[in-house]
Amino acid sequence: DIMIINVIQDLIKFAYQFIPPITLFRRYHFSPADLAIGSSTRIAGLKRIRTPSLPSKSPSLPSEEYSSSDVPTTTNNIDGVIHSSSKSTTITVLTYNINHELSSDPNKSRNILKAIFSSGAQIILLQETNPSWQERIHNDAIALEYNYCHYHHASIERKDRPAGGIAVLSQFPLKNVQILDLTTDISGSVFPALLCDISVPLNENSSHDENRNCASSAKIDMSMIANVRVANVHLRPPVELDGSAWLATARKTEPIRICEVKELLRRARSKHWRGNELDEDEMAFSESQLPLDIIAGDFNEGDFGGATSYFSSQGYTDALQQYVPQRKETHTWPFMRNFWTLRKRLDHILWHGESTIPVMYLKGNKVLEESECTSTLQSLGCGVVSGYESNASDHQPVLALFAIVKDP
């Protein structure tokens, strides 16, 4: 009986990839500018910390491949990044599996780069990077002021799989970057994860009157940062280790993905991955705090898979589920010599609204102390960026907007 039930469930999941609900006559379209427009009403009611100080000059786009019309435009668009007209600090996060085989494909790689850099995202999380991709990305990243980047590439010496590269590009300083090799502890795991802290600057100097509990006049010459904790993941694909895939493969590999995310949270909770790199002045994290604020990447499973469901049980919310209709996929794959196209929602951006984000005082580049002020994260919007369903990666870029909100 159990075998029959499993076969029926596998058939239903397999059929779902051919005809996702209500897809036949309703077209999905999303651009980064839509994210700014749709989030404006959600921002209005938030108690806020002010927006980060960013250069006032317009972005110098790195090449003719990205026209000015590609970058989202709003009233307060600074350096091609979405900002609200209110006093809140907003951050934009992009996740994109760029396919390790496509760096040498001139047309597809050009479109992938366009998807990355025309998104206006301040934090970019990439999967399946390699040295060739890093070379293609580097100059454009520097030109658009992604001055803080970390790449991890698959190694032949370590017998890594070619798709095991992972990277983060940020316009804000990175701290405590660590690559977690989950393959050493979890049988069947094939890719690493990346953990990091991202120091988001807060324009505290202009908000002393509103935040008297968070600052004093003695700290008028200091700046403030919110320490956002981020994970970039690439979980076990629903294929066999030899690359084949069968009807039951997705179900049989699901326990591996669950083990991967449990181990991710376990390691992030232990100070093991930060403590070795922090000095005493920076040891301001509470044991009771949730270890990660944002978890994004290629989950290799849909909205209600085992790994995403486990994160949900830990209080995380999937921005893709919040804002993107079920009919919209994030991944397509040709089947039966392109006779059918499989459609899946594999790429997600998860966030935790009850996680306390530490706020630190800075003087120059030195952390002086933790502020009495704390903040939390709020999701303002999410979308699968249109225009990259074909002639790019097999995955599509997912973009989300968050606000850092001052706790009362």
Side-chain angles (χ1 to χ4, degrees), residues 220-271:
I220 194 72
D221 60 338
M222 300 179 191
S223 59
M224 296 180 74
I225 59 168
N227 196 75
V228 181
R229 298 149 296 190
V230 176
N232 183 2
V233 302
H234 189 185
L235 303 184
R236 167 65 187 267
V239 297
E240 304 293 340
L241 291 176
D242 62 4
S244 63
W246 307 97
L247 191 62
T249 305
R251 173 170 50 81
K252 290 182 177 179
T253 55
E254 183 177 70
I256 299 172
R257 290 187 288 276
I258 295 173
C259 289
E260 286 177 316
V261 298
K262 286 183 176 180
E263 179 66 9
L264 175 76
L265 289 183
R266 187 191 72 79
R267 293 203 198 177
R269 280 194 174 98
S270 67
K271 290 182 180 178

Coordinates of all heavy atoms in Angstrom, one line a residue, residues 220-271:
I220 N 27.3 61.6 18.2 CA 26.9 62.3 17.0 C 27.8 62.1 15.8 O 27.5 62.2 14.7 CB 26.7 63.8 17.3 CG1 25.9 64.5 16.2 CG2 28.1 64.5 17.5 CD1 24.5 64.1 16.2
D221 N 29.1 61.8 16.1 CA 30.1 61.7 15.1 C 30.3 60.2 14.6 O 31.2 59.9 13.9 CB 31.4 62.2 15.5 CG 32.0 61.5 16.7 OD1 31.2 60.9 17.5 OD2 33.2 61.6 17.0
M222 N 29.4 59.3 15.1 CA 29.5 57.9 14.8 C 28.4 57.6 13.7 O 27.4 58.2 13.6 CB 29.3 57.1 16.0 CG 30.3 57.3 17.1 SD 30.0 56.3 18.5 CE 31.1 57.0 19.7
S223 N 28.7 56.5 13.0 CA 27.7 55.9 12.1 C 27.1 54.6 12.7 O 27.7 54.1 13.7 CB 28.3 55.7 10.8 OG 29.4 54.8 10.9
M224 N 26.1 54.1 12.1 CA 25.5 52.9 12.6 C 25.3 51.9 11.5 O 25.1 52.3 10.4 CB 24.1 53.2 13.3 CG 24.1 54.1 14.5 SD 22.5 54.4 15.2 CE 22.1 52.8 15.9
I225 N 25.4 50.6 11.8 CA 25.2 49.6 10.9 C 24.3 48.5 11.5 O 24.3 48.3 12.7 CB 26.5 48.9 10.5 CG1 27.2 48.3 11.7 CG2 27.5 49.8 9.7 CD1 28.4 47.3 11.3
A226 N 23.5 47.9 10.6 CA 22.7 46.8 11.0 C 23.4 45.5 10.4 O 23.9 45.5 9.3 CB 21.3 46.8 10.4
N227 N 23.6 44.5 11.3 CA 24.4 43.4 10.9 C 23.4 42.3 10.4 O 22.8 41.5 11.2 CB 25.2 42.9 12.1 CG 26.3 41.9 11.7 OD1 27.3 42.3 11.2 ND2 26.1 40.6 12.0
V228 N 23.2 42.2 9.1 CA 22.3 41.2 8.5 C 23.0 39.9 8.2 O 24.0 39.9 7.5 CB 21.6 41.8 7.3 CG1 20.6 40.8 6.7 CG2 21.0 43.1 7.6
R229 N 22.5 38.8 8.7 CA 23.1 37.5 8.6 C 22.4 36.7 7.4 O 21.2 36.5 7.4 CB 23.0 36.7 9.9 CG 23.7 37.5 11.0 CD 23.1 37.3 12.4 NE 21.8 37.8 12.5 CZ 21.1 37.9 13.6 NH1 21.6 37.6 14.7 NH2 19.9 38.4 13.6
V230 N 23.3 36.3 6.5 CA 22.8 35.8 5.2 C 23.4 34.4 4.9 O 24.6 34.2 5.2 CB 23.1 36.8 4.0 CG1 22.6 36.2 2.7 CG2 22.4 38.1 4.3
A231 N 22.6 33.5 4.3 CA 23.1 32.3 3.8 C 22.7 32.1 2.3 O 21.6 32.4 1.9 CB 22.5 31.1 4.6
N232 N 23.7 31.6 1.6 CA 23.5 31.3 0.1 C 23.6 29.8 0.0 O 24.6 29.2 0.4 CB 24.6 32.0 -0.7 CG 24.4 31.8 -2.2 OD1 23.4 31.1 -2.6 ND2 25.3 32.3 -3.0
V233 N 22.5 29.1 -0.4 CA 22.5 27.7 -0.4 C 22.3 27.1 -1.8 O 21.7 27.8 -2.7 CB 21.4 27.1 0.5 CG1 21.6 27.6 1.9 CG2 20.0 27.5 0.0
H234 N 22.8 25.9 -2.0 CA 22.5 25.1 -3.2 C 22.4 23.7 -2.8 O 23.3 22.9 -2.6 CB 23.7 25.3 -4.2 CG 23.5 24.7 -5.6 ND1 24.4 24.6 -6.6 CD2 22.3 24.1 -6.1 CE1 23.9 24.0 -7.6 NE2 22.6 23.7 -7.4
L235 N 21.1 23.3 -2.5 CA 20.8 22.0 -1.9 C 20.9 20.9 -3.0 O 21.0 21.1 -4.2 CB 19.4 22.1 -1.3 CG 19.2 23.1 -0.2 CD1 17.8 23.0 0.4 CD2 20.3 23.1 0.9
R236 N 20.9 19.7 -2.4 CA 21.0 18.5 -3.3 C 20.0 18.5 -4.4 O 18.8 18.6 -4.2 CB 20.8 17.2 -2.4 CG 20.6 15.9 -3.2 CD 21.9 15.5 -4.0 NE 21.6 14.3 -4.8 CZ 21.8 13.1 -4.5 NH1 22.3 12.8 -3.3 NH2 21.5 12.1 -5.3
P237 N 20.4 18.4 -5.7 CA 19.5 18.3 -6.8 C 18.6 17.0 -6.7 O 19.1 16.0 -6.2 CB 20.4 18.3 -8.0 CG 21.7 18.8 -7.5 CD 21.8 18.4 -6.1
P238 N 17.4 17.0 -7.3 CA 16.6 15.8 -7.3 C 17.0 14.9 -8.5 O 16.2 14.5 -9.3 CB 15.2 16.4 -7.6 CG 15.4 17.6 -8.4 CD 16.7 18.2 -7.9
V239 N 18.3 14.5 -8.5 CA 18.8 13.6 -9.5 C 19.7 12.6 -8.7 O 20.2 12.8 -7.6 CB 19.6 14.3 -10.6 CG1 18.7 15.2 -11.4 CG2 20.8 15.1 -10.0
E240 N 20.0 11.5 -9.4 CA 20.9 10.5 -8.8 C 22.4 11.0 -8.9 O 22.6 12.0 -9.7 CB 20.8 9.2 -9.6 CG 19.4 8.6 -9.6 CD 18.9 8.1 -8.2 OE1 19.8 7.9 -7.3 OE2 17.7 8.0 -8.1
L241 N 23.3 10.5 -8.2 CA 24.7 10.9 -8.2 C 25.3 10.8 -9.5 O 26.3 11.5 -9.8 CB 25.5 10.2 -7.1 CG 25.1 10.5 -5.6 CD1 25.9 9.6 -4.7 CD2 25.3 12.0 -5.3
D242 N 24.8 9.9 -10.4 CA 25.4 9.7 -11.7 C 24.7 10.6 -12.7 O 25.0 10.5 -13.9 CB 25.2 8.2 -12.2 CG 23.8 7.8 -12.3 OD1 22.9 8.6 -12.0 OD2 23.6 6.6 -12.5
G243 N 23.8 11.5 -12.3 CA 23.1 12.4 -13.1 C 21.8 12.0 -13.7 O 21.1 12.8 -14.3
S244 N 21.5 10.7 -13.5 CA 20.2 10.2 -14.0 C 19.0 10.7 -13.0 O 19.3 11.0 -11.9 CB 20.2 8.7 -14.1 OG 20.4 8.1 -12.9
A245 N 17.8 10.6 -13.5 CA 16.7 11.0 -12.7 C 15.5 10.0 -13.0 O 15.3 9.7 -14.2 CB 16.3 12.4 -13.0
W246 N 14.8 9.6 -12.0 CA 13.7 8.7 -12.2 C 12.5 9.2 -11.5 O 12.6 10.3 -10.8 CB 14.1 7.3 -11.6 CG 15.3 6.7 -12.2 CD1 16.6 6.8 -11.7 CD2 15.5 6.1 -13.5 NE1 17.5 6.3 -12.5 CE2 16.9 5.8 -13.6 CE3 14.6 5.8 -14.5 CZ2 17.4 5.2 -14.8 CZ3 15.1 5.2 -15.6 CH2 16.5 4.9 -15.8
L247 N 11.4 8.6 -11.6 CA 10.1 9.1 -11.1 C 10.2 9.4 -9.6 O 9.7 10.3 -9.1 CB 9.0 8.1 -11.4 CG 7.6 8.6 -11.1 CD1 7.3 9.8 -12.0 CD2 6.6 7.4 -11.4
A248 N 10.9 8.5 -8.8 CA 11.0 8.6 -7.4 C 12.2 9.4 -6.9 O 12.4 9.6 -5.7 CB 11.0 7.2 -6.8
T249 N 13.0 9.9 -7.8 CA 14.3 10.5 -7.3 C 14.1 11.8 -6.5 O 14.8 12.0 -5.5 CB 15.2 10.9 -8.6 OG1 15.4 9.8 -9.4 CG2 16.5 11.5 -8.1
A250 N 13.1 12.6 -6.8 CA 12.9 13.8 -6.0 C 12.5 13.4 -4.6 O 12.9 14.1 -3.7 CB 11.8 14.7 -6.7
R251 N 11.6 12.4 -4.5 CA 11.2 12.0 -3.1 C 12.3 11.4 -2.4 O 12.5 11.6 -1.2 CB 10.0 11.0 -3.3 CG 9.6 10.4 -1.9 CD 8.3 9.6 -2.1 NE 8.3 8.7 -3.2 CZ 8.9 7.5 -3.2 NH1 9.5 7.1 -2.1 NH2 8.9 6.7 -4.2
K252 N 13.1 10.6 -3.0 CA 14.2 9.9 -2.3 C 15.4 10.9 -1.9 O 16.1 10.6 -1.0 CB 14.8 8.8 -3.2 CG 13.8 7.6 -3.3 CD 14.4 6.5 -4.2 CE 13.4 5.3 -4.2 NZ 14.0 4.2 -5.1
T253 N 15.5 12.0 -2.6 CA 16.6 12.9 -2.3 C 16.1 14.0 -1.3 O 16.9 14.7 -0.8 CB 17.1 13.6 -3.5 OG1 16.1 14.2 -4.3 CG2 17.9 12.6 -4.4
E254 N 14.8 14.0 -1.1 CA 14.3 15.0 -0.1 C 14.8 14.9 1.3 O 15.2 16.0 1.9 CB 12.7 15.0 -0.1 CG 12.1 16.0 0.8 CD 10.6 15.9 0.7 OE1 10.0 14.9 1.3 OE2 9.9 16.8 0.2
P255 N 15.0 13.7 1.9 CA 15.6 13.7 3.2 C 17.0 14.3 3.3 O 17.4 14.8 4.3 CB 15.6 12.2 3.5 CG 14.5 11.6 2.7 CD 14.5 12.4 1.4
I256 N 17.8 14.2 2.1 CA 19.1 14.8 2.1 C 19.0 16.3 2.2 O 19.8 16.9 3.0 CB 19.8 14.4 0.8 CG1 20.0 12.9 0.7 CG2 21.2 15.1 0.8 CD1 20.5 12.4 -0.6
R257 N 18.1 16.9 1.5 CA 17.9 18.4 1.6 C 17.5 18.8 3.0 O 17.9 19.8 3.5 CB 16.9 18.8 0.5 CG 17.4 18.7 -0.9 CD 16.5 19.3 -1.9 NE 15.3 18.5 -2.1 CZ 15.2 17.5 -2.9 NH1 16.2 17.1 -3.6 NH2 14.0 16.8 -3.0
I258 N 16.6 18.0 3.6 CA 16.2 18.3 5.0 C 17.4 18.3 5.9 O 17.6 19.2 6.8 CB 15.1 17.4 5.5 CG1 13.9 17.5 4.6 CG2 14.8 17.6 7.0 CD1 12.8 16.5 4.9
C259 N 18.3 17.3 5.8 CA 19.5 17.2 6.6 C 20.4 18.3 6.4 O 21.0 18.9 7.3 CB 20.2 15.9 6.4 SG 19.4 14.4 7.0
E260 N 20.5 18.8 5.1 CA 21.4 19.9 4.8 C 20.9 21.2 5.5 O 21.8 21.9 6.0 CB 21.4 20.1 3.3 CG 22.2 19.1 2.5 CD 22.1 19.2 1.0 OE1 21.0 19.5 0.5 OE2 23.1 19.1 0.3
V261 N 19.6 21.5 5.5 CA 19.2 22.7 6.1 C 19.3 22.7 7.6 O 19.5 23.7 8.3 CB 17.8 23.1 5.6 CG1 17.8 23.3 4.1 CG2 16.7 22.1 6.0
K262 N 19.0 21.5 8.2 CA 19.2 21.3 9.6 C 20.6 21.6 10.0 O 20.9 22.2 11.0 CB 18.7 20.0 10.1 CG 17.2 19.8 10.0 CD 16.8 18.4 10.6 CE 15.3 18.3 10.6 NZ 14.8 16.9 11.1
E263 N 21.5 21.0 9.3 CA 23.0 21.2 9.6 C 23.4 22.6 9.4 O 24.2 23.2 10.1 CB 23.8 20.3 8.7 CG 25.3 20.4 8.9 CD 25.8 19.9 10.3 OE1 24.9 19.3 11.0 OE2 26.9 20.1 10.6
L264 N 22.8 23.3 8.4 CA 23.1 24.7 8.1 C 22.7 25.5 9.4 O 23.5 26.4 9.8 CB 22.3 25.2 6.9 CG 22.4 26.7 6.6 CD1 23.7 27.0 5.9 CD2 21.2 27.1 5.7
L265 N 21.5 25.4 9.9 CA 21.1 26.1 11.1 C 21.9 25.7 12.3 O 22.2 26.6 13.1 CB 19.6 25.9 11.3 CG 18.7 26.6 10.3 CD1 17.2 26.3 10.7 CD2 18.9 28.1 10.2
R266 N 22.2 24.5 12.4 CA 23.0 24.0 13.6 C 24.4 24.7 13.6 O 24.8 25.2 14.6 CB 23.2 22.5 13.6 CG 23.9 22.0 14.8 CD 24.3 20.5 14.7 NE 25.4 20.4 13.8 CZ 26.7 20.6 14.2 NH1 27.0 21.0 15.4 NH2 27.7 20.4 13.3
R267 N 25.0 24.7 12.4 CA 26.4 25.4 12.4 C 26.3 26.9 12.5 O 27.2 27.5 13.1 CB 27.1 25.0 11.1 CG 27.4 23.5 10.9 CD 28.5 23.3 9.9 NE 28.6 22.0 9.4 CZ 29.5 21.6 8.5 NH1 30.3 22.5 8.0 NH2 29.5 20.3 8.1
A268 N 25.2 27.5 12.0 CA 25.1 28.9 12.1 C 24.8 29.3 13.6 O 25.2 30.4 14.0 CB 24.0 29.4 11.2
R269 N 24.1 28.5 14.3 CA 23.8 28.8 15.7 C 25.1 28.7 16.6 O 25.2 29.5 17.5 CB 22.8 27.8 16.3 CG 21.3 28.2 15.9 CD 20.3 27.4 16.7 NE 19.0 27.9 16.4 CZ 18.2 27.2 15.5 NH1 18.6 26.1 14.9 NH2 17.0 27.7 15.3
S270 N 26.0 27.8 16.3 CA 27.2 27.7 17.1 C 28.1 28.9 16.7 O 28.2 29.1 15.8 CB 27.9 26.4 16.7 OG 28.4 26.5 15.4
K271 N 28.7 29.6 17.5 CA 29.5 30.7 17.1 C 30.7 30.3 16.3 O 31.6 31.1 16.0 CB 29.9 31.6 18.2 CG 28.7 32.3 18.8 CD 29.1 33.2 20.0 CE 27.9 33.9 20.6 NZ 28.3 34.7 21.7

